[in-house]
Amino acid sequence: MKAYIYTNSYRVTILGILLLFIGSGCSLTRGLKGNESLVRKVTIKGMDPEFAELALNYVDKQQQPNNVINLQLYYLFNKKGKRSIGESPAILDSNLVEFSRVQIEKFIQSKGYLKAKVADTIIIKKKKAQLIFTTTQGPMFRIRKFDDSIPDQKVRALYRANRNKFSHLQPGGRFDTDSVAYERDAFFTLMKRNGYYDFYRQYINFTYDSTYNSSVVDLRMIIDNPPDKPAHPIYTINNTLITISASNGRNTGTADTIQVDSQFRFVDYSHKFKPHTVTDYVYQLKGDLFNTDMQTVTTSRLSELNVFRNVPNPTYTKTSDSTNRLNTKIDIIPLKQMSDRVEGEFLFSGGRYGYNIGNTFTDRNMFKQAVTLQVKLNFSILYDNGRNSVNSTGIENQDFKIGASLIYPRLLLPFTVTRPGKHGVPHTTFSTNYSLFYQKGLVERTSFINSLTYDFMETANKIHSVTPINIEFSKGSIDPTAYQELLSQNRYSYIYLIGRTIFTTGSQYTYQANGNLLNTFGNFTYFRGSLDVGGNFLSGVSNVLNTPKDTLGQRTLFGYTFAQYSKAEIDFRVYRSLGGENQFVFRINPGIGVPYGNSSQLIFEKNFYAGGANDMRAWLPRTLGPGQFNRATAYGPPGTPNAPSAGDILRTRLKYIDQFGEIKFITNAEYRTKLANDFFGSILRGALFVDAGNVWRLNKQTDSPNGEFRFNNVLQSTAIGIGGGLRFDVSFFVFRLDAAFKFKDPQFNGADQWVLINHADELFHSGTFKNNYLQANGESYNFMQLNFGIGMPF
């Protein structure tokens, strides 16, 4: 959900909130009593830089410096203890300082500096305390010799065959107790993956002999056998019982009971599922070695079906004989089958107002196979009361969409594929969508789209989406008066763009990497690339059948022209951690669409547009570009409010239609940081950002002067916006507020493009620049754009 608001009152309010946070660093000690002091700085000295930052985590939380915003929120909202917002002041406590010193000393000793000592110093000035922990590290102890003692031959062979794949303990390396713990956990996991159901961490022990003066350690790993047993038993999977409760969690009444095969017995008290819905995603099959990884995969895949409320890990019971087999039990509680979600938003922005309302109905379990039926309806309307409106109610845009999707949690293919789903549940989606776009006084466009899509995961980080068939039919009907106006000004390309009836078939492919990392704070890159190709099959059929051509020389099928095109888009991002929950994100988002063969122009819906809350945030959607296109001059000289010119009328009619391109290039740089841990129940985060980019026409067009892409004009025709924002994270969604400012506007020329520098004095009131723009365009120029939305921008 997004809304766009840029009235002066809202600007002042939002800027006031931002200034409150920026200027909140004063009087940090105003809440202290008597001789209390506020801890404002903690320093680690004398420690290896590799560990100094980590050592700060061992300072007691009550002695760590406050975040300034968190502390000010506490002072502001926690009077008389009525609220719990922000964080209480970190008041100096000598006992906690000593505790912190001991913890830091233990930490550095665990890193191989066995002789290390840490001393603390407290400096107090004006009720603000600085804590200094000074480390005397001494020599780093290294491993001189490493060996093992493992009486079980199979376990010994397994360990020695895999040790080099995970071990951090090598002769000559640092003696690090964290590495010792890692070795224990890594080998425990290896055992659990290879049938050792009864194996415990307690069987793994380490002994070491340190030659203290020489700073070396002899280390031995010991893996004991179970008490009274000569070796560790290896277990295989036997039978599996799957029980599905009623939606209330009870196993009462009669149940659908089926012995599926020699392994699976299926008991369903809900009477709503077929056995293969669950058995297809049980990855521990009869005769397989017990493997905790497959146990986890089974639980994850059953949860991803989105039809079960509770999917606990399978439980295992040993068979009563001596065959070392495990019977598996999986107990599941289903979700409510039907759900309905209503969404809405309101848009108000300087003469533009409207609303958007949507409803999504979901049936999670069609045909008793966890097949999802999803029906979506959406209706939006926008009114734009500009000076040059062609009717009393201004521009009126209406957009109605209805679509249905049938989503199968498996790949429906005419041939057999390797057992899918190890890294995620694959899907086959049949969808059909109808949309109606209506702009009063200009055009009515209807569109039907039907498609078949396969989604599957190559690994946990790599997702493929293939749409082998996508059939689209669209039809445009231009208002007769608007048609004559377009015709009188030789705007044939717009008539062709929005008024033609056309259909096409195509295929699409999308590849995504690291999408599962987007909500983390580590270092990674994200990539999403898509390719959309249409019309080639129809072109081949048309050429073979030698179908007739229309008046423009384009081939037709069934009496209609068809579109031929290729469209590609990339979204590449670099995420870099700056420590804690501070993060820098850089994004590049290029795209290009090329009509060819039977088409001289892309379908209206296939073009790129710029602006909005997710790319160029200082511009409203569909109000930037293409290139240096200037709406004030493109349609001729303006008239007057009482006598608008023909150019004014056409400029108004084509608003939100004429600023598009076949080429897009958007870049964004954003710094994100946490401002407050508790702001009225949410985590408050902040962001500073720069957006740059535009859309361009592929070739020079008389209807879009200066809108074409040229390498020698890319910088001149690139828009730049700057701004900042707040994100309110309430765990299940993020509410976002961004304030963005136009910094460089390519619709102007030369030095006049740097609008924020040249006209900063008109940021919040009108002057010569804004008045001239109003006269030429029939609407005011707004430097600042406020974007309200749900979720991160990217």
Side-chain angles (χ1 to χ4, degrees):
M1 178 183 73
K2 293 178 280 289
Y4 309 93
I5 303 178
Y6 49 60
T7 57
N8 284 343
S9 60
Y10 277 99
R11 294 173 181 168
V12 174
T13 301
I14 299 305
L15 285 181
I17 294 173
L18 294 175
L19 289 174
L20 170 65
F21 288 127
I22 294 172
S24 62
C26 59
S27 303
L28 294 179
T29 61
R30 68 180 185 270
L32 303 183
K33 301 176 182 178
N35 60 354
E36 290 180 339
S37 298
L38 184 70
V39 178
R40 289 305 303 144
K41 187 176 182 181
V42 178
T43 304
I44 306 289
K45 292 184 176 181
M47 188 177 292
D48 189 324
E50 181 182 356
F51 306 117
E53 185 174 346
L54 290 174
L56 290 172
N57 295 325
Y58 291 86
V59 177
D60 188 88
K61 290 187 179 296
Q62 296 183 47
Q63 299 299 285
Q64 293 183 5
N66 295 101
N67 176 288
V68 173
I69 303 298
N70 281 336
L71 184 58
Q72 293 291 0
L73 289 174
Y74 180 86
Y75 287 148
L76 183 62
F77 294 110
N78 289 273
K79 296 178 180 179
K80 299 182 180 179
K82 292 182 178 180
R83 294 180 178 270
S84 180
I85 297 173
E87 61 186 28
S88 58
I91 299 174
L92 179 65
D93 185 327
S94 59
N95 291 327
L96 294 179
V97 173
E98 171 60 17
F99 174 78
S100 301
R101 183 198 68 77
V102 172
Q103 295 302 112
I104 294 171
E105 187 173 89
K106 289 180 179 179
F107 164 73
I108 192 60
Q109 289 174 354
S110 74
K111 293 301 178 182
Y113 298 94
L114 302 184
K115 296 182 180 180
K117 299 295 180 183
V118 176
D120 62 78
T121 304
I122 302 174
I123 300 174
I124 300 175
K125 185 177 181 181
K126 295 183 179 179
K127 300 181 77 73
K128 294 181 181 180
Q130 178 183 2
L131 308 184
I132 302 174
F133 296 96
T134 304
T135 307
T136 304
Q137 286 191 156
M140 181 179 70
F141 280 67
R142 295 186 178 276
I143 299 172
R144 182 172 64 181
K145 184 175 67 172
F146 180 89
D147 63 8
D148 60 63
S149 175
I150 309 174
D152 187 323
Q153 294 182 4
K154 291 183 179 180
V155 174
R156 181 168 64 245
L158 182 65
Y159 174 69
R160 292 180 178 178
N162 291 276
R163 181 178 182 274
N164 289 335
K165 298 176 183 178
F166 59 76
S167 181
H168 295 172
L169 300 174
Q170 303 293 342
R174 182 175 61 234
F175 175 64
D176 186 336
T177 56
D178 286 346
S179 295
V180 171
Y182 179 83
E183 186 96 359
R184 176 183 286 110
D185 289 340
F187 184 63
F188 171 78
T189 301
L190 179 66
M191 293 287 282
K192 289 293 188 178
R193 290 171 176 165
N194 285 273
Y196 291 94
Y197 171 74
D198 264 346
F199 190 82
Y200 301 101
R201 285 181 176 84
Q202 290 86 335
Y203 292 133
I204 307 173
N205 296 287
F206 291 87
T207 62
Y208 65 92
D209 180 18
S210 62
T211 305
Y212 208 63
N213 293 328
S214 300
S215 305
V216 294
V217 171
D218 293 335
L219 187 62
R220 169 170 288 189
M221 181 182 191
I222 302 171
I223 302 178
D224 296 320
N225 281 337
D228 304 323
K229 289 185 179 180
H232 290 273
I234 298 175
Y235 289 85
T236 58
I237 299 300
N238 188 40
N239 297 326
T240 301
L241 172 63
I242 298 169
T243 301
I244 301 179
S245 303
S247 58
N248 59 9
R250 297 177 181 176
N251 295 343
T252 55
T254 59
D256 295 334
T257 303
I258 303 172
Q259 185 66 43
V260 180
D261 53 27
S262 62
Q263 177 184 356
F264 293 105
R265 183 174 178 82
F266 182 78
V267 179
D268 181 10
Y269 287 92
S270 72
H271 309 287
K272 293 182 178 179
F273 295 92
K274 292 184 177 180
H276 76 89
T277 303
V278 181
T279 59
D280 283 356
Y281 291 103
V282 176
Y283 288 84
Q284 292 261 254
L285 301 182
K286 194 166 188 174
D288 289 352
L289 290 178
F290 168 78
N291 186 336
T292 53
D293 284 357
M294 293 301 99
Q295 174 187 3
T296 301
V297 169
T298 296
T299 301
S300 298
R301 296 300 88 82
L302 292 177
S303 297
E304 289 172 19
L305 290 176
N306 198 32
V307 292
F308 300 120
R309 175 160 53 94
N310 182 25
V311 185
N313 283 329
T315 57
Y316 300 92
T317 305
K318 300 173 188 176
T319 57
S320 57
D321 54 26
S322 59
T323 56
N324 293 337
R325 292 179 299 165
L326 298 172
N327 289 326
T328 308
K329 192 172 188 298
I330 301 174
D331 295 312
I332 314 174
I333 300 175
L335 282 168
K336 184 179 178 181
Q337 184 170 342
M338 308 287 186
S339 68
D340 192 73
R341 184 178 74 251
V342 178
E343 298 176 319
E345 62 186 10
F346 179 73
L347 183 155
F348 178 76
S349 182
R352 305 174 181 91
Y353 62 94
Y355 61 85
N356 177 66
I357 187 168
N359 186 86
T360 301
F361 167 79
T362 302
D363 185 333
R364 294 187 177 90
N365 190 28
M366 295 286 291
F367 318 125
K368 296 187 175 183
Q369 299 182 57
V371 176
T372 300
L373 171 66
Q374 198 168 75
V375 179
K376 292 185 176 182
L377 293 91
N378 184 273
F379 178 69
S380 61
I381 188 167
L382 170 68
Y383 296 96
D384 188 344
N385 294 325
R387 184 197 67 174
N388 294 323
S389 298
V390 295
N391 55 65
S392 60
T393 59
I395 299 173
E396 180 184 321
N397 287 342
Q398 295 183 37
D399 198 353
F400 173 75
K401 296 178 181 178
I402 182 171
S405 296
L406 203 59
I407 307 169
Y408 284 79
R410 59 189 64 87
L411 298 180
L412 301 181
L413 296 167
F415 50 86
T416 303
V417 295
T418 305
R419 183 178 174 88
K422 183 177 180 181
H423 302 289
V425 173
H427 294 98
T428 301
T429 303
F430 299 91
S431 66
T432 182
N433 296 276
Y434 167 80
S435 64
L436 167 65
F437 174 80
Y438 170 75
Q439 183 164 312
K440 190 172 183 178
L442 179 62
V443 69
E444 178 183 302
R445 284 190 63 81
T446 57
S447 177
F448 292 92
I449 301 176
N450 298 277
S451 64
L452 167 65
T453 301
Y454 298 105
D455 300 302
F456 59 94
M457 300 184 71
E458 177 186 344
T459 68
N461 296 333
K462 300 177 181 179
I463 301 176
H464 300 268
S465 179
V466 180
T467 302
I469 182 66
N470 184 80
I471 303 173
E472 181 172 348
F473 177 87
S474 58
K475 180 179 180 180
S477 177
I478 303 177
D479 179 86
T481 303
Y483 182 86
Q484 292 300 321
E485 291 171 355
L486 290 168
L487 198 63
S488 66
Q489 295 199 26
N490 300 321
R491 303 280 175 172
Y492 303 114
S493 64
Y494 283 113
I495 294 174
Y496 186 62
L497 177 71
I498 64 177
R500 63 175 168 165
T501 298
I502 196 167
F503 80 101
T504 189
T505 63
S507 300
Q508 299 164 359
Y509 170 72
T510 300
Y511 171 74
Q512 177 180 285
N514 292 331
N516 57 323
L517 302 177
L518 290 178
N519 293 323
T520 66
F521 295 97
N523 296 321
F524 64 94
T525 58
Y526 167 85
F527 177 86
R528 186 179 189 276
S530 63
L531 178 65
D532 182 0
V533 180
N536 293 336
F537 174 75
L538 296 180
S539 177
V541 172
S542 176
N543 288 330
V544 169
L545 299 179
N546 194 26
T547 59
K549 298 181 179 180
D550 63 8
T551 56
L552 297 177
Q554 295 181 338
R555 292 279 187 182
T556 62
L557 276 173
F558 312 113
Y560 300 108
T561 58
F562 57 88
Q564 237 181 313
Y565 66 91
S566 291
K567 181 180 178 182
E569 185 174 3
I570 290 173
D571 185 348
F572 177 76
R573 311 174 200 170
V574 178
Y575 291 78
R576 286 293 176 265
S577 173
L578 302 179
E581 297 187 19
N582 300 312
Q583 191 176 51
F584 175 77
V585 185
F586 178 71
R587 178 197 191 202
I588 300 176
N589 181 210
I592 183 171
V594 180
Y596 59 87
N598 207 49
S599 296
S600 59
Q601 199 172 18
L602 284 179
I603 302 175
F604 174 77
E605 291 80 7
K606 297 292 182 181
N607 285 287
F608 293 107
Y609 298 88
N614 297 317
D615 54 26
M616 299 300 297
R617 283 165 278 191
W619 282 263
L620 282 168
R622 297 174 178 259
T623 62
L624 175 61
Q628 291 188 261
F629 176 72
N630 188 310
R631 302 190 79 252
T633 61
Y635 299 99
T640 65
N642 295 324
S645 67
D648 286 336
I649 296 173
L650 198 57
R651 182 167 32 247
T652 301
R653 287 193 188 279
L654 294 178
K655 194 172 185 180
Y656 308 116
I657 297 291
D658 56 4
Q659 295 190 264
F660 64 90
E662 297 90 350
I663 297 175
K664 175 180 78 168
F665 193 90
I666 303 292
T667 61
N668 312 89
E670 183 165 300
Y671 169 70
R672 298 170 180 173
T673 185
K674 183 168 71 173
L675 299 178
N677 286 318
D678 185 1
F679 182 75
F680 291 93
S682 69
I683 298 175
L684 179 63
R685 307 183 194 277
L688 297 173
F689 56 81
V690 177
D691 304 325
N694 207 337
V695 294
W696 292 266
R697 300 303 305 272
L698 189 62
N699 301 302
K700 189 172 184 177
Q701 303 287 339
T702 56
D703 290 332
S704 303
N706 298 316
E708 73 277 8
F709 179 85
R710 290 182 284 120
F711 283 104
N712 61 359
N713 194 40
V714 170
L715 294 180
Q716 183 74 3
S717 57
T718 294
I720 299 176
I722 62 174
L726 300 173
R727 287 88 165 95
F728 304 89
D729 187 345
V730 292
S731 73
F732 53 92
F733 72 90
V734 175
F735 175 72
R736 171 167 48 93
L737 167 64
D738 287 333
F741 299 85
K742 295 181 178 69
F743 190 76
K744 177 179 179 290
D745 193 336
Q747 68 175 302
F748 305 110
N749 294 308
D752 292 336
Q753 292 186 337
W754 304 94
V755 290
L756 192 60
I757 297 176
N758 296 333
H759 308 290
D761 57 326
E762 296 188 44
L763 190 60
F764 294 123
H765 62 83
S766 297
T768 302
F769 170 73
K770 284 188 175 181
N771 289 332
N772 290 338
Y773 189 87
L774 177 62
Q775 291 299 317
N777 288 272
E779 62 183 25
S780 61
Y781 188 88
N782 296 282
F783 289 95
M784 180 178 171
Q785 174 63 44
L786 296 183
N787 299 314
F788 295 85
I790 300 295
M792 301 298 283
F794 50 83

